[in-house]
Amino acid sequence: IMVASIVTFFICIIKATLIYLISLITMAILFILAPIFICFLLFKRTAQLFNHWIYQFFSIVLQPVFVFTAIALMFQAFKVAMY
């Protein structure tokens, strides 16, 4: 059981790292597109595109926070189970 839990823990760490890297790349792409979407805010017809962009941007910014919070909680549980 102990070996399986250690393997599962390391798989979760690898997945968290991948999620972090993908969110960094996505954040960079959204940041590069920022001037275009800020211009969309000038017109009523395209303002909704800006709203969707800003929603997506904040979603991507917060994603690593939640992932690493879950990993930290799992690490604490793992540490308590070890000792």
Side-chain angles (χ1 to χ4, degrees), residues 40-41 43-54:
F40 285 168
L41 192 57
F43 307 105
K44 280 188 175 183
R45 294 187 87 157
T46 57
Q48 194 64 23
L49 292 172
F50 174 79
N51 291 336
H52 289 298
W53 173 81
I54 200 81

Side-chain angles (χ1 to χ4, degrees), residues 62-76:
L62 291 176
Q63 187 176 12
V65 173
F66 291 128
V67 168
F68 285 115
T69 301
I71 291 292
L73 290 173
M74 193 169 95
F75 182 70
Q76 290 298 325

Side-chain angles (χ1 to χ4, degrees), residues 7 17-18 24 28 30 32 34 47 58 61 81-82:
V7 170
T17 305
L18 287 175
L24 276 180
L30 288 173
I32 289 170
F58 283 123
V61 167
M82 288 288 288

Side-chain angles (χ1 to χ4, degrees), residues 1-12 74 78 81-82:
I1 289 179
M2 194 63 162
V3 174
S5 63
I6 291 172
V7 170
T8 304
F9 180 71
F10 283 117
I11 289 172
C12 288
M74 193 169 95
F78 186 70
M82 288 288 288

